[in-house]
Amino acid sequence: MTVQDFGKIIKAFLLRKSKLRRTVFFILGDGLLLSIALYLAFYLRFDGNIEPQYINKFLNYLLVFLSVKYIIFAMFRLYHMSWSYVGFYELFDILKANTVSLFFLLGIIFMLWSHSLFKGFPRSIPLIDYGIALMFIAMFRSSKRFYGQIRSGINQTDTKRTLIIGAGNAGEQIVRDMRRQKDSPYVPIGFIDDDVMKQGVYIQGVKVQGNRENIARIVEKLKVDLVLLAIPSASSRDIRSILSHVRESSVKEIKTIPGFNELVSWNISLSDIKEVRVEDIIGREQVSIDKKFVNSFIQGKTVLVTGAGGSIGSELVRQILAFEPKKIIALDIDETEMHHIELELSQHSRFEIVSVVADVRDRHKIETVFNEFLPDVVFHAAAYKHVPMMEKYPEEAVRVNIFGTKTMAETAIACETKKFVLVSTDKAVKPTNIMGATKQVAEKIVRELNSLGKTRFISVRFGNVVGSRGSVIPTFEEQIRRGGPVTVTHQEMKRYFMSVPEACILILQAAAIGKGGEVFHLDMGEQIKIVDIAKELIRLNGLEPDIDIPIVFTGIRPGEKLYEELLTDTEGIEPTVHPKIFIVKDMSNNDEHILKKVMLFENVIQRKQWAWIRNLLKDFVPTYNPSYNHASILDVPERSYKIVRENMQAKTH
């Protein structure tokens, strides 16, 4: 036996001993309280003058009452409760145990009515005893928690007076946890809620003070130190509105809880409280999916995810785990990210997760991986996505985005993979850059391959992802840490933004919906100005834009658009069963023989004729126009987008 084994035995022994002491303590405490309750029942029944015949038999009555209640209490697990964390469910168990005990005692008294013990026994005694015993046992079980709350209320020297935005389930759970934890740094002093029916009421002893319009006044009135946003269903627009009211007050510290897309469970506690991030302000939309439908698509299958070290690929791996796959193969060229994925997901021992370091351009290695694991589903997220860098190195964009996709897709057909999902981008629509053009070629490749084998191919387009590697946000944050300036390319630059969880959950839903050959477009909401994001980030750091941190406009970089577009001139859209997923219908016929044509890129790359790559892309993608000037028609996309979105919503309904 090792020292560790011996330590485990000692620990288990001490734990059992501790549980035994707690059980004995509750049994003795209950015995004392139940005895007092029964005596008080007689005392009240006879107005303080208990008849001698009942006093003489009291110990016999007590033995019957205690025997029944101990048995029933044990059946309802009243001796396995935690003394510190008694809540509604525990109190409800106490009510049930006492009620069942009452009916059992009434039955015993009725059956033994002719017996000398219960002959002439007052029938009101069990009812009076029931009320007193219920009160005593409930108070006994909740006494430690009540004491802890009083003690925490007295010792508030190092705590923060907290105003909670949202008096719903999340807010109630947070307040309960603040009261329960001895060392909680938060003291709840008020709620804010826009629901008129809640205003003025008390929740967990905390008053709902008013709506968001009253935040500044209430902050001053209650001397608030911290504002906590406790609305997991709040959208980015709601959060921005609430923050605008908070910033009108003197409070400087603002925190929040995660949105429903990020919450691991519905139980919310102090551990879920976090700093407000830019993702909460621009990319927190709540997405619901048909989990049973997605589960039937993923469950029991072997799933390969390329680009698994990136923001989208790694989140796909995490979310796929929730749908119980047989096995996940996480593939990426970056060995460091693969190591991080292994460490993070090693806890999911009931699912097999295999990390593979490989290059999607290496056909021999990719074929080896497919032949070894035989994946049922492939999510191809590996790609070069950085627009300015790909303008400098177009040959690399072609190698990865076009030939890497072609290699993966053709190998999937050879191994009879059931479904192949290409993760695409809205930059593939009327591209003005190499990255977007190569991604549209990749879409064309998988569309043609869909008719050449058993594998069903689909593509999913969406916009910028908040927090991804290529996101501008980390750059802004670093510039703010250095004291500025924050550099923005153009004051009118706009982008669609989604959170990583939102994008990935919709990719899974689209993959489940797809029959083969579709290009899916995700509804990304409204475009947001990049300069507005920069301002929000500066404010999140407790500073003021153009006062503490200057914003400088540097000019549009090569390949960049002022805005992204939804569709090309030859494309239309159709609704699906999901309100945020649409099918793109291409009316053109310029995709024929794309697989043969792409070999022209190979010759150009071998000869190092980089300039020819742009010319070839123009032939492959007629809408590709690197010299297209968006500034001249700046107002057109916003109007056209609203029209398209209204049409989409009308078709959905």
Side-chain angles (χ1 to χ4, degrees):
M1 180 184 292
T2 65
V3 175
Q4 289 153 339
D5 291 335
F6 182 72
K8 288 179 181 177
I9 292 172
I10 294 297
K11 186 177 180 181
F13 173 75
L14 292 174
L15 183 61
R16 281 198 296 269
K17 192 174 180 181
S18 175
K19 288 182 178 178
L20 179 61
R21 283 201 306 267
R22 182 183 63 189
T23 302
V24 171
F25 172 74
F26 277 134
I27 289 173
L28 294 176
D30 285 351
L32 176 61
L33 293 173
L34 293 174
S35 301
I36 295 172
L38 183 59
Y39 180 80
L40 287 175
F42 277 97
Y43 187 85
L44 294 173
R45 166 64 178 79
F46 292 101
D47 297 325
N49 296 312
I50 306 174
E51 296 179 7
Q53 59 174 325
Y54 297 116
I55 293 177
N56 295 334
K57 297 179 182 179
F58 182 79
L59 289 179
N60 294 324
Y61 297 145
L62 183 62
L63 180 62
V64 174
F65 273 63
L66 286 181
S67 299
V68 170
K69 291 188 178 184
Y70 276 141
I71 293 170
I72 301 299
F73 283 14
M75 290 173 58
F76 281 89
R77 302 183 300 279
L78 263 60
Y79 298 113
H80 295 278
M81 287 183 178
S82 170
W83 202 13
S84 303
Y85 301 107
V86 171
F88 171 79
Y89 293 106
E90 288 77 16
L91 292 175
F92 189 55
D93 282 340
I94 292 171
L95 173 63
K96 290 189 291 185
N98 277 277
T99 304
V100 172
S101 299
L102 170 64
F103 284 107
F104 265 90
L105 288 168
L106 289 173
I108 290 171
I109 293 169
F110 177 75
M111 287 186 295
L112 300 177
W113 188 257
S114 59
H115 192 275
S116 59
L117 178 62
F118 286 105
K119 190 172 183 179
F121 187 83
R123 285 171 289 185
S124 61
I125 292 294
L127 295 173
I128 300 171
D129 170 76
Y130 167 76
I132 298 172
L134 177 62
M135 179 180 65
F136 279 2
I137 299 301
M139 290 174 63
F140 179 39
R141 289 298 192 279
S142 57
S143 59
K144 187 173 182 180
R145 180 175 175 182
F146 182 69
Y147 171 74
Q149 290 183 357
I150 293 175
R151 187 177 176 184
S152 64
I154 296 171
N155 185 21
Q156 295 181 0
T157 55
D158 297 326
T159 54
K160 296 176 180 177
R161 295 172 61 82
T162 304
L163 180 66
I164 297 136
I165 312 294
N169 289 334
E172 186 271 337
Q173 288 182 50
I174 284 289
V175 170
R176 194 188 323 143
D177 212 32
M178 288 176 180
R179 294 274 176 77
R180 186 177 64 191
Q181 294 195 20
K182 295 179 182 178
D183 302 322
S184 170
Y186 312 102
V187 177
I189 59 170
F191 278 109
I192 293 290
D193 201 288
D194 291 337
D195 187 346
V196 177
M197 298 299 293
K198 291 180 180 178
Q199 290 168 22
V201 304
Y202 287 81
I203 299 173
Q204 291 287 331
V206 180
K207 185 179 179 181
V208 181
Q209 300 284 342
N211 59 27
R212 70 179 70 178
E213 306 289 338
N214 307 127
I215 289 176
R217 176 181 59 80
I218 293 167
V219 164
E220 302 306 320
K221 174 185 173 183
L222 301 181
K223 298 180 181 179
V224 173
D225 300 314
L226 180 145
V227 170
L228 174 63
L229 277 69
I231 316 175
S233 62
S235 66
S236 298
R237 180 175 294 180
D238 286 330
I239 292 175
R240 288 197 296 271
S241 171
I242 292 168
L243 288 178
S244 68
H245 290 292
V246 174
R247 288 181 183 129
E248 293 174 0
S249 70
S250 59
V251 71
K252 297 298 181 185
E253 193 169 0
I254 309 169
K255 293 191 177 183
T256 186
I257 62 173
F260 282 136
N261 293 338
E262 300 174 74
L263 284 171
V264 176
S265 70
W266 295 102
N267 294 321
I268 299 168
S269 65
L270 296 188
S271 61
D272 292 310
I273 294 176
K274 63 185 182 70
E275 300 294 332
V276 179
R277 302 170 302 176
V278 70
E279 290 92 330
D280 300 311
I281 297 174
I282 64 173
R284 183 162 124 166
E285 301 302 324
Q286 308 310 319
V287 178
S288 60
I289 63 165
D290 187 340
K291 291 186 177 180
K292 288 184 179 179
F293 189 45
V294 176
N295 195 70
S296 65
F297 168 59
I298 296 291
Q299 189 176 38
K301 294 184 174 65
T302 298
V303 182
L304 169 62
V305 179
T306 71
S311 51
I312 291 294
S314 60
E315 182 64 19
L316 277 172
V317 172
R318 294 184 195 99
Q319 294 201 15
I320 289 168
L321 281 171
F323 297 99
E324 301 181 351
K326 177 183 177 182
K327 184 185 298 183
I328 293 181
I329 298 97
L331 185 148
D332 201 289
I333 197 172
D334 190 330
E335 82 284 2
T336 302
E337 292 300 332
M338 285 295 90
H339 176 64
H340 291 160
I341 287 289
E342 274 192 341
L343 291 177
E344 178 188 344
L345 302 180
S346 59
Q347 57 183 315
H348 299 279
S349 55
R350 67 194 186 103
F351 302 115
E352 187 177 355
I353 303 170
V354 181
S355 58
V356 177
V357 177
D359 188 339
V360 294
R361 297 170 293 187
D362 185 344
R363 185 175 289 270
H364 176 71
K365 180 66 177 286
I366 294 302
E367 288 175 349
T368 302
V369 172
F370 269 80
N371 288 325
E372 180 179 356
F373 297 108
L374 297 174
D376 301 295
V377 182
V378 174
F379 289 92
H380 181 47
Y384 277 138
K385 306 177 182 73
H386 197 280
V387 170
M389 290 300 291
M390 292 304 98
E391 293 301 302
K392 293 180 181 178
Y393 304 104
E395 70 281 5
E396 295 303 320
V398 170
R399 285 191 179 112
V400 173
N401 296 356
I402 294 178
F403 286 113
T405 300
K406 184 172 180 289
T407 296
M408 289 293 303
E410 289 176 340
T411 309
I413 290 177
C415 292
E416 297 187 348
T417 296
K418 293 182 177 65
K419 190 169 284 188
F420 186 103
V421 182
L422 171 66
V423 177
S424 191
T425 171
D426 59 355
K427 292 178 177 61
V429 180
K430 293 184 180 180
T432 60
N433 52 65
I434 294 289
M435 192 278 276
T438 54
K439 291 296 285 184
Q440 189 178 137
V441 174
E443 287 183 7
K444 293 174 184 286
I445 289 171
V446 299
R447 191 180 301 169
E448 182 170 322
L449 284 171
N450 188 65
S451 60
L452 300 182
K454 294 182 179 180
T455 305
R456 300 298 90 193
F457 290 89
I458 69 170
S459 301
V460 183
R461 290 179 189 166
F462 55 93
N464 292 332
V465 176
V466 183
S468 69
R469 282 181 171 182
S471 172
V472 71
I473 291 166
T475 302
F476 286 166
E477 288 174 337
E478 179 60 30
Q479 290 173 339
I480 293 168
R481 276 193 293 270
R482 293 200 307 262
V486 170
T487 57
V488 179
T489 54
H490 194 283
Q491 62 265 33
E492 296 297 335
M493 182 75 70
K494 297 179 181 179
R495 289 293 182 269
Y496 298 107
F497 284 94
M498 305 179 81
S499 69
V500 174
E502 179 191 8
C504 290
I505 202 69
L506 288 176
I507 290 171
L508 293 179
Q509 180 76 75
I513 293 172
K515 303 297 183 184
E518 302 100 335
V519 175
F520 288 101
H521 156 74
L522 305 184
D523 181 1
M524 297 164 286
E526 303 289 342
Q527 295 193 78
I528 301 174
K529 285 186 177 182
I530 302 297
V531 68
D532 291 341
I533 296 173
K535 290 177 180 178
E536 288 292 349
L537 272 172
I538 292 170
R539 293 189 183 105
L540 284 178
N541 284 271
L543 304 169
E544 280 300 315
D546 293 321
I547 297 175
D548 302 307
I549 300 287
I551 297 176
V552 176
F553 298 101
T554 59
I556 298 175
R557 297 177 297 180
E560 282 189 327
K561 297 180 181 182
L562 278 178
Y563 52 84
E564 301 297 347
E565 294 163 277
L566 285 172
L567 305 167
T568 68
D569 295 334
T570 61
E571 291 178 336
I573 53 173
E574 291 183 1
T576 68
V577 293
H578 195 284
K580 292 179 78 70
I581 302 174
F582 299 86
I583 298 174
V584 177
K585 291 294 184 180
D586 192 352
M587 310 304 176
S588 65
N589 296 311
N590 56 9
D591 295 350
E592 294 181 358
H593 309 299
I594 190 76
L595 295 172
K596 293 180 180 178
K597 291 179 182 178
V598 295
M599 299 314 297
L600 295 172
F601 284 110
E602 191 69 43
N603 297 329
V604 169
I605 291 173
Q606 286 177 355
R607 295 172 186 173
K608 299 181 181 180
Q609 296 172 324
W610 313 137
W612 278 89
I613 290 177
R614 285 183 172 81
N615 294 330
L616 279 175
L617 284 172
K618 288 180 182 178
D619 292 335
F620 281 89
V621 184
T623 56
Y624 172 49
N625 188 355
S627 62
Y628 187 49
N629 181 10
H630 288 69
S632 61
I633 54 168
L634 193 59
D635 293 332
V636 174
E638 200 63 29
R639 289 198 302 270
S640 63
Y641 176 75
K642 287 179 179 177
I643 293 171
V644 170
R645 196 154 184 251
E646 287 169 4
N647 290 338
M648 288 193 292
Q649 292 171 344
K651 287 183 179 180
T652 303
H653 295 303

